[in-house]
Amino acid sequence: MNDADVSKQIQQMVRFIRQEAEEKANEILVSAEEEFNIEKLQLVEAEKKKIRQEYERKEKQVQVRKKIEYSMQLNASRIKVLQAQDDMVNSMKDGAGKELLNVSQNHHHYKDLLKDLIVQSLLRLKEPAVLLRCRKDDHHLVESVLSSAKDEYAEKAKVFPPEIIVDHAVYLPPPPSKHNDHGLFCSGGVVLASRDGKIVFENSLDARLDVAFRKKLPEVILLVFLHPLHHCSIYKSLEKE
């Protein structure tokens, strides 16, 4: 083999090696590009997933905030309605309390009422001796009906007439006036107690109003707040706030 053949073989080998190297390089480039695309796709999908999760988290937060805000607004509205109802009921009670003041103005009827209240109190206490308190303004009226009240109680209870001691040292509060607008007051009636003070029966007009109002409160609420006109007045009061 001469030099020309050797040179030719060497060139063929070089071309072969170069071709293999180029093919291998192409394979490496293609593989690297595929891996890059795969990794890029994975990264993109991972970022998309993070974005979706973040969006879902924020959306849940928004929904939770909306629910909390709605619940707070609903509770606030309920409180306002209940407050309006309470104000209206208290207003009705105050109106009834003012009407009570007129009861003692008619001395004839009020005198009979005092006697009935004393008899009722005696029947509740069932004591042989009691202490009676009344308003200072009612002192003479009470004294005038004590005898008949004791006799009526004795007849109803089938007992001897009890001893009734009128307390001249401590009276029930006076009726409200311009000079005593925010102090203690009493619209009338009596308070009876056993001699030892352990049993007390409060039969003042104000106490009776409280008892009657508590008993009738469910009926008052139904009567007042199921009426469309009263609903309108409640909503108008809420609108002002």
Side-chain angles (χ1 to χ4, degrees):
M1 185 178 294
N2 55 27
D3 292 340
D5 292 334
V6 172
S7 177
K8 187 176 180 181
Q9 281 186 339
I10 290 173
Q11 288 178 357
Q12 287 177 347
M13 290 175 65
V14 168
R15 284 197 299 272
F16 177 76
I17 292 171
R18 183 178 293 169
Q19 184 178 355
E20 281 192 342
E22 289 176 352
E23 289 177 356
K24 193 67 176 177
N26 287 333
E27 288 178 4
I28 292 172
L29 285 174
V30 170
S31 177
E33 188 174 357
E34 287 178 354
E35 289 179 2
F36 171 75
N37 289 331
I38 291 172
E39 187 174 353
K40 183 175 71 174
L41 183 62
Q42 289 176 343
L43 289 172
V44 170
E45 288 300 323
E47 288 299 318
K48 285 182 178 179
K49 185 177 181 182
K50 284 173 63 177
I51 291 171
R52 282 196 297 269
Q53 288 175 342
E54 183 67 15
Y55 173 79
E56 290 172 358
R57 185 182 68 82
K58 290 184 176 180
E59 187 179 27
K60 286 180 181 178
Q61 287 181 341
V62 170
Q63 293 298 326
V64 169
R65 279 200 299 269
K66 284 183 178 180
K67 288 180 180 179
I68 292 173
E69 289 174 1
Y70 174 75
S71 179
M72 291 176 65
Q73 290 175 355
L74 186 62
N75 287 336
S77 298
R78 286 174 177 168
I79 290 171
K80 285 183 178 180
V81 170
L82 290 174
Q83 184 61 53
Q85 291 179 351
D86 192 50
D87 291 343
M88 187 171 289
V89 169
N90 287 334
S91 176
M92 293 178 63
K93 187 178 178 182
D94 290 341
K98 290 177 181 177
E99 289 294 324
L100 281 182
L101 297 174
N102 298 325
V103 174
S104 60
Q105 300 301 316
N106 188 325
H107 286 188
H108 177 70
H109 289 101
Y110 184 51
K111 180 179 176 180
D112 291 338
L113 176 61
L114 283 172
K115 188 195 75 168
D116 292 339
L117 293 176
I118 293 171
V119 172
Q120 183 186 51
S121 303
L122 291 170
L123 288 169
R124 287 294 184 91
L125 292 175
K126 296 186 182 299
E127 292 285 323
V130 297
L131 181 69
L132 182 149
R133 284 179 182 165
C134 61
R135 299 188 306 182
K136 195 171 185 179
D137 294 349
D138 298 338
H139 169 71
H140 294 295
L141 286 176
V142 168
E143 292 282 2
S144 68
V145 298
L146 278 184
S147 179
S148 60
K150 288 192 288 186
D151 291 341
E152 184 175 334
Y153 163 72
E155 183 181 350
K156 288 184 176 181
K158 308 299 181 186
V159 296
F160 290 107
E163 179 186 5
I164 301 179
I165 303 167
V166 179
D167 192 343
H168 297 294
V170 180
Y171 289 99
L172 297 181
S177 64
K178 294 180 180 178
H179 305 291
N180 187 33
D181 193 25
H182 299 289
L184 293 175
F185 67 89
C186 177
S187 301
V190 293
V191 173
L192 272 70
S194 57
R195 288 288 295 272
D196 56 11
K198 291 182 178 180
I199 307 173
V200 178
F201 184 68
E202 190 171 352
N203 216 4
S204 66
L205 299 184
D206 307 283
R208 293 179 67 85
L209 175 63
D210 287 338
V211 172
F213 215 80
R214 282 198 299 271
K215 287 183 178 179
K216 294 293 183 179
L217 187 58
E219 297 177 29
V220 171
I221 291 175
L222 284 176
L223 179 64
V224 172
F225 302 115
L226 290 181
H227 197 287
L229 291 178
H230 291 291
H231 278 296
C232 292
S233 63
I234 290 175
Y235 292 132
K236 284 180 180 177
S237 66
L238 292 178
E239 288 172 0
K240 291 179 182 178
E241 298 179 7

